[in-house]
Amino acid sequence: MKSFKPLFISGAAALLFTVNAYAQQGTSAADAKPAMTAEQRAKSDEDSNKKAAEWVAALTLNDTKKETALKEVIATHLKTIRDWNNDHPYTTVPAGINPYTGKPLSTMDRQIIAISAMPKSVHENLMSGLRQNLTEPQVEAILDKYTIGKVAFTLNGYKSIVPNLTEQEEKVLTDNLKKAREQAVDFKNMTQISAIFEIYKTYNEQYLNTHGRNWHDMFKAYTDAVKAKKAAAKAAAEGKPAQ
């Protein structure tokens, strides 16, 4: 559960809304990745089409027209994200400091900023295309496919770590995770997607800290209990008393 330790990249979250212009200034030939060959693009397109088809098939819509439209919407989004990533490397954002922390921007900070400068229409086209053909739970199912179920996984982690999680606390934590999920579908790989989730996990930890909880203490208690359980299991297997 190490991933639940607070990773304070909230400065990156703030910068997403303040320095997007840097990534929109264009990419020099030296910064951009080498253009894909026709063969590489064809293979990548095939992978995107296959992934879109698998996600749509999992919904068992039994509606050819909807399935065809959805596969096109999803595959187009995947290809657009790929192309934007290739054309907008982290170097399109100047190396500098985060004005909220004073620390140098990391490579991931700069990459997130560069990708977040993508036109809003890309995200809007995806979401409107999904909602034209699916119910909201089905839309969420597609978003879960893209983010490999990180909402449910992370929420289960909170339920294990936070004693007697209240209904209101669970609602706030879940709402933030769903915001992370929808924002994360505009990023290419799991490293980037996880970075987006870390922003909202930090929001969740801050919420708990300001509503009568202590995230640091809860997380320590949880990890201590896990370690003790493992030690006891190991001792039992070796026929020794637990320390």
Side-chain angles (χ1 to χ4, degrees), residues 116-138:
S116 69
M118 187 167 50
K120 291 182 180 179
S121 59
V122 174
H123 183 80
E124 292 168 352
N125 290 341
L126 171 68
M127 298 308 296
S128 63
L130 293 178
R131 290 185 170 128
Q132 284 173 8
N133 296 282
L134 300 174
T135 64
E136 199 59 30
Q138 289 172 329

Side-chain angles (χ1 to χ4, degrees), residues 3 5 7 9 108 112 146-148 150 153-154 177 180-181 183-185 187-202:
S3 63
K5 290 185 179 180
L7 300 179
I9 61 171
M108 180 55 68
I112 294 298
Y146 197 105
T147 56
I148 63 170
K150 287 181 75 68
F153 174 81
T154 309
L177 292 176
R181 178 181 62 191
Q183 187 172 358
V185 298
F187 292 81
K188 181 181 178 182
N189 56 50
M190 287 312 304
T191 302
Q192 295 173 0
I193 288 171
S194 294
I196 296 300
F197 269 82
E198 290 297 342
I199 295 170
Y200 288 87
K201 285 161 66 176
T202 296

Side-chain angles (χ1 to χ4, degrees), residues 70-187:
L70 286 165
K71 285 186 285 188
E72 177 64 24
V73 166
I74 296 169
T76 296
H77 188 75
L78 291 170
K79 295 168 190 176
T80 302
I81 297 301
R82 174 201 65 198
D83 292 342
W84 186 272
N85 267 265
N86 290 344
D87 295 339
H88 297 79
Y90 78 94
T91 49
T92 57
V93 176
I97 65 169
N98 184 319
Y100 293 89
T101 66
K103 296 181 179 179
L105 292 173
S106 68
T107 297
M108 180 55 68
D109 289 339
R110 294 164 69 191
Q111 184 68 76
I112 294 298
I113 293 166
I115 303 309
S116 69
M118 187 167 50
K120 291 182 180 179
S121 59
V122 174
H123 183 80
E124 292 168 352
N125 290 341
L126 171 68
M127 298 308 296
S128 63
L130 293 178
R131 290 185 170 128
Q132 284 173 8
N133 296 282
L134 300 174
T135 64
E136 199 59 30
Q138 289 172 329
V139 170
E140 292 196 15
I142 293 295
L143 301 185
D144 280 330
K145 288 288 186 181
Y146 197 105
T147 56
I148 63 170
K150 287 181 75 68
V151 169
F153 174 81
T154 309
L155 183 60
N156 285 336
Y158 285 130
K159 289 179 178 179
S160 298
I161 295 168
V162 182
N164 304 312
L165 188 70
T166 69
E167 184 176 334
Q168 177 61 22
E169 287 172 335
E170 182 172 343
K171 180 181 184 305
V172 172
L173 300 183
T174 302
D175 287 347
N176 278 334
L177 292 176
K178 287 184 176 182
K179 290 177 183 177
R181 178 181 62 191
E182 183 168 341
Q183 187 172 358
V185 298
D186 293 337
F187 292 81

